[in-house]
Amino acid sequence: MSGARSVTIEDVAARAGVSLATVSRALRGLPNVAPSTRARVLEVAEELKYRPDPHASRLAAGRTRTVGIAVPLPGEWYFSQVVAGAHAVLSSAGYDLLVYGAESVDDRRRFVADATSVQQRVDGLILVDMPAPAAEVEAWAEQGARLVTVGQRTEHFPSVTIDNPKAASVAVHHLLDLGHQRIGLISGGEDAPLYFTVPNERHAAYEAALRGRKIEARDEWCADGNFSMEGGREAMSALLAATEIPTAVFAISDEMAMGAISSARDHGLLVPDHLSVIGFDDHDLAAAFALTTVRQPVVEMGERAARMLLDSLEDDRPPQHYVAPTSLVVRSTTARRIRD
Amino acid sequence: MSGARSVTIEDVAARAGVSLATVSRALRGLPNVAPSTRARVLEVAEELKYRPDPHASRLAAGRTRTVGIAVPLPGEWYFSQVVAGAHAVLSSAGYDLLVYGAESVDDRRRFVADATSVQQRVDGLILVDMPAPAAEVEAWAEQGARLVTVGQRTEHFPSVTIDNPKAASVAVHHLLDLGHQRIGLISGGEDAPLYFTVPNERHAAYEAALRGRKIEARDEWCADGNFSMEGGREAMSALLAATEIPTAVFAISDEMAMGAISSARDHGLLVPDHLSVIGFDDHDLAAAFALTTVRQPVVEMGERAARMLLDSLEDDRPPQHYVAPTSLVVRSTTARRIRD
DNA sequence: ATGAAAGCGCTAACAG
DNA sequence: CTGTTAGCGCTTTCAT
């Protein structure tokens, strides 16, 4: 920090009566240091509360012991969980975590376009639901960048994803199997059509599932909930204004599902008696809501991504692609359709 | 990143036909550079995609354009919101954000004891609900450290807090005013008695409020919900096992309140008919739950903290202490007590 | 096993 | 207005 003229390696060297090279070696556990010397250095360092300046050492050594993680919105549940997972493994491996957010599609594109500049600051980078244009990815790979993507898969780097089509299909089939025919969809992210493929994949799976049962997917049964509780609420209101009201709704995030339920209740509908609702995520609060949902192991995904990054920092190996398991969690917001 | 041998200031200087000092000046917008020279440098820099190495520049200049934020649990809603708020203002001011987490009381103590080492990496530090022992604080102040505390107030540094006693009192009085006499408390953080004063303050306010109405505060009406939904659920179960069941409960966080409600429902109680529940925070999902609560402006608190930090980076001013406003948000989980 | 010395890439006086 | 020259604190050959 500004004013703090801190202890340098030289101070330690002087006090220990050795050269600063020796201090450097001793402190980093390198070989070729006499045990007695090492002990003495350690002792003095401790006594002086010496901490190597990370910037100086990065400049000299080229490593930062820092990794970056970029997410669209650091405050959203999903992203905060991924960050927390990554943070946990990174910090216990002695790495610091730099968090970048890029709210709008434009911010994200800009971030990615300029990613090289952040890659300069870190040993590796985790990209969560960020665009990854082939050209950039190629360039990064050539530069020898270390990164892993979450929610998106590229050829050159390790990735952590889920099988969105399958997971969404499970959700819709759960509804179908309960006898529902008029099934609404609350989707999101219409403002991010280019790279934010999640909504599209889930939407497509929804349509495919209906088609598989020869059920029509009406436009008036699809609404955009913007991935937020409030948005889910509005989306539900919209669905409730349809000429024929759906008897079940698949919201592609739990927060939207909760908003939908709350709106349905405001409209006097009983869940699940009049309306079944299934979400996606298994949010921490889903259980309190008794929400039926498709679970994805968000924290573990962050942990996994961090671990993969750490691995790729150690040696060059072909990129692994981890597809995290999802599972249906049946609680009490879905029920068999009653004749209407 | 590892492999990337990047463009240095020297490359730019050579290509632009000037000295590297001039490049440095031109790029940083310092005076005493001929407009034409500056233009030329900018152009070349752009062309070469030159990015100054942040580590080198920090080493030379002593500034990092990075601030740190330390929170107990980066994945918890409250903390993630504060981080998001701070991130927003910091990133738009061109600062990077390093996030530190310290889960256990011990981790937190250790972090604080060693804070100097992180202060070395950053221009300033935001401490959210971290211990701040007078001795350390004193030492930091002497070293000229820049920091602001959130949820805790010290003499030497700016702070952002809320008036916990008042806010908790408002919550309990809301219940009292609805005619409740048997009021339970779901608190948390018993594992962090030393510095994590929030639970204590709210607890004390609860007791004081009851005392003010000559109502007893029974031990069996207090349970620890560990600040989590699941914990709130267990706490509620415990309260429901009391010899006399409370007719209302004050949970000192919304997540615990939601857990409590869910547990009450499992036990066949109707909320608010049989049991009123009030929370604390105004969580994003509180509205979906129709939860009555005391709102604190979490994101704004993070923003404010960041802004104060930025200010204190600019000049030495006496520390400001910002007390964020809280407000009662009445929704539908509290109601007048019906005779029992 | 240890020391001396040459940078890492940039900023900040100091000259001109 | 611009160039030269020291460092910032540490790592890393290369000697010894």
Side-chain angles (χ1 to χ4, degrees):
Chain A
M1 221 102 123
S2 329
R5 177 135 256 60
S6 39
V7 188
T8 78
I9 198 173
E10 219 160 345
D11 301 328
V12 179
R15 192 93 121 90
V18 294
S19 77
L20 78 188
T22 301
V23 174
S24 178
R25 288 186 197 108
L27 257 26
R28 283 177 309 142
L30 297 188
N32 291 339
V33 179
S36 60
T37 318
R38 184 182 311 257
R40 167 127 196 69
V41 169
L42 253 33
E43 189 184 312
V44 172
E46 170 67 24
E47 187 183 328
L48 261 39
K49 289 176 174 304
Y50 166 71
R51 307 272 176 244
D53 179 321
H55 301 281
S57 88
R58 129 68 199 186
L59 186 56
R63 292 174 50 263
T64 67
R65 293 249 123 202
T66 300
V67 339
I69 187 167
V71 300
L73 292 156
E76 274 202 355
W77 179 80
Y78 172 85
F79 299 116
S80 74
Q81 300 306 297
V82 175
V83 169
H87 174 272
V89 349
L90 257 12
S91 79
S92 74
Y95 280 78
D96 282 343
L97 218 215
L98 226 25
V99 176
Y100 295 94
E103 183 153 0
S104 71
V105 184
D106 247 33
D107 288 345
R108 301 207 272 278
R109 204 171 290 143
R110 216 169 306 132
F111 180 90
V112 164
D114 197 42
T116 311
S117 93
V118 2
Q119 288 174 179
Q120 225 176 118
R121 298 208 43 171
V122 299
D123 292 339
L125 188 56
I126 299 176
L127 254 26
V128 185
D129 280 323
M130 299 289 278
E136 315 284 24
V137 170
E138 204 96 350
W140 297 336
E142 255 165 44
Q143 293 171 193
R146 305 303 165 139
L147 58 86
V148 0
T149 58
V150 176
Q152 168 108 204
R153 177 173 173 158
T154 74
E155 194 186 334
H156 297 286
F157 298 103
S159 69
V160 175
T161 53
I162 58 170
D163 186 339
N164 271 300
K166 190 183 99 195
S169 183
V170 164
V172 179
H173 276 107
H174 172 66
L175 265 15
L176 252 12
D177 292 345
L178 287 170
H180 295 279
Q181 311 243 67
R182 304 204 304 269
I183 299 180
L185 176 75
I186 296 182
S187 187
E190 299 306 320
D191 60 296
L194 271 193
Y195 301 106
F196 202 57
T197 55
V198 172
N200 298 331
E201 288 185 356
R202 296 185 191 166
H203 191 145
Y206 155 84
E207 290 186 338
L210 295 192
R211 214 179 311 120
R213 299 281 178 102
K214 310 253 183 287
I215 294 177
E216 61 172 336
R218 294 199 209 163
D219 268 1
E220 62 170 356
W221 291 342
C222 285
D224 182 350
N226 191 37
F227 278 107
S228 72
M229 192 280 285
E230 209 40 72
R233 211 162 167 144
E234 286 160 20
M236 191 69 236
S237 287
L239 297 186
L240 259 20
T243 51
E244 255 187 316
I245 295 178
T247 64
V249 167
F250 169 34
I252 70 168
S253 87
D254 280 356
E255 299 182 67
M256 294 193 291
M258 298 187 209
I261 291 171
S262 129
S263 161
R265 286 188 182 139
D266 289 351
H267 285 261
L269 294 183
L270 256 41
V271 175
D273 311 69
H274 303 149
L275 179 77
S276 283
V277 176
I278 185 171
F280 198 112
D281 279 344
D282 199 23
H283 189 287
D284 294 315
L285 294 172
F289 235 86
L291 181 68
T292 294
T293 191
V294 176
R295 170 170 215 281
Q296 62 174 324
V298 198
V299 175
E300 290 87 332
M301 290 165 70
E303 295 173 344
R304 191 70 168 231
R307 223 168 275 130
M308 287 171 132
L309 185 59
L310 258 18
D311 287 346
S312 85
L313 253 32
E314 288 187 348
D315 50 50
D316 270 308
R317 57 183 84 187
Q320 309 282 305
H321 297 284
Y322 176 66
V323 180
T326 54
S327 57
L328 179 65
V329 180
V330 179
R331 285 193 276 246
S332 317
T333 56
T334 51
R336 179 150 293 280
R337 189 199 77 184
I338 46 180
R339 114 185 44 59
D340 52 4
Chain B
M1 225 101 124
S2 332
R5 178 133 257 59
S6 40
V7 188
T8 77
I9 197 172
E10 218 160 345
D11 301 328
V12 179
R15 192 94 122 90
V18 294
S19 76
L20 75 186
T22 301
V23 174
S24 178
R25 288 185 198 110
L27 258 27
R28 285 179 305 145
L30 297 189
N32 292 338
V33 180
S36 61
T37 317
R38 183 182 312 256
R40 169 126 195 71
V41 169
L42 252 32
E43 191 183 311
V44 173
E46 171 67 24
E47 187 183 330
L48 262 37
K49 288 177 177 306
Y50 165 72
R51 308 272 176 244
D53 179 320
H55 302 282
S57 91
R58 127 69 199 187
L59 188 54
R63 291 174 52 262
T64 68
R65 292 248 122 202
T66 300
V67 338
I69 187 167
V71 300
L73 292 155
E76 275 202 356
W77 179 81
Y78 172 85
F79 299 117
S80 74
Q81 299 307 297
V82 175
V83 170
H87 174 271
V89 349
L90 258 11
S91 80
S92 75
Y95 280 78
D96 283 342
L97 217 214
L98 226 27
V99 176
Y100 294 94
E103 184 155 358
S104 71
V105 183
D106 247 33
D107 288 345
R108 300 208 272 279
R109 206 171 290 143
R110 216 170 306 131
F111 180 91
V112 164
D114 197 42
T116 311
S117 94
V118 1
Q119 288 175 179
Q120 227 176 117
R121 299 208 43 172
V122 299
D123 292 341
L125 187 56
I126 300 176
L127 253 26
V128 185
D129 281 323
M130 300 288 277
E136 315 283 25
V137 170
E138 203 96 348
W140 297 335
E142 254 163 43
Q143 293 170 196
R146 304 302 165 140
L147 58 85
V148 0
T149 58
V150 177
Q152 168 108 204
R153 176 173 174 159
T154 73
E155 194 187 334
H156 296 287
F157 298 102
S159 69
V160 175
T161 54
I162 57 170
D163 186 338
N164 271 299
K166 190 181 101 198
S169 182
V170 165
V172 178
H173 276 107
H174 172 64
L175 263 17
L176 252 11
D177 292 346
L178 288 169
H180 294 280
Q181 311 242 67
R182 302 204 305 271
I183 299 180
L185 176 74
I186 296 182
S187 185
E190 299 306 319
D191 60 295
L194 271 192
Y195 302 106
F196 201 56
T197 53
V198 172
N200 299 331
E201 289 184 355
R202 296 185 192 163
H203 192 143
Y206 155 84
E207 290 187 337
L210 294 193
R211 215 179 309 118
R213 297 281 178 101
K214 310 253 182 288
I215 294 176
E216 61 171 336
R218 295 199 210 165
D219 267 0
E220 63 169 356
W221 291 342
C222 283
D224 182 351
N226 192 36
F227 279 108
S228 73
M229 192 280 283
E230 210 39 73
R233 210 160 166 146
E234 286 160 20
M236 191 69 236
S237 288
L239 296 187
L240 259 21
T243 51
E244 255 188 317
I245 296 178
T247 63
V249 167
F250 169 35
I252 70 168
S253 88
D254 279 357
E255 298 181 69
M256 295 194 289
M258 297 186 209
I261 291 170
S262 130
S263 162
R265 286 188 183 139
D266 289 350
H267 284 263
L269 294 182
L270 257 41
V271 173
D273 312 68
H274 302 148
L275 179 77
S276 283
V277 176
I278 185 168
F280 197 112
D281 277 345
D282 200 24
H283 189 288
D284 295 315
L285 293 172
F289 235 87
L291 181 67
T292 295
T293 191
V294 176
R295 172 169 214 283
Q296 60 173 325
V298 198
V299 175
E300 290 86 333
M301 289 164 70
E303 296 173 344
R304 191 70 168 232
R307 221 165 279 129
M308 286 170 132
L309 185 59
L310 258 20
D311 286 346
S312 84
L313 253 33
E314 288 186 348
D315 50 50
D316 270 309
R317 57 183 84 187
Q320 308 282 306
H321 297 285
Y322 176 67
V323 180
T326 55
S327 58
L328 179 66
V329 180
V330 179
R331 286 194 275 245
S332 315
T333 56
T334 49
R336 180 151 292 281
R337 190 199 75 184
I338 47 181
R339 115 184 44 56
D340 50 7

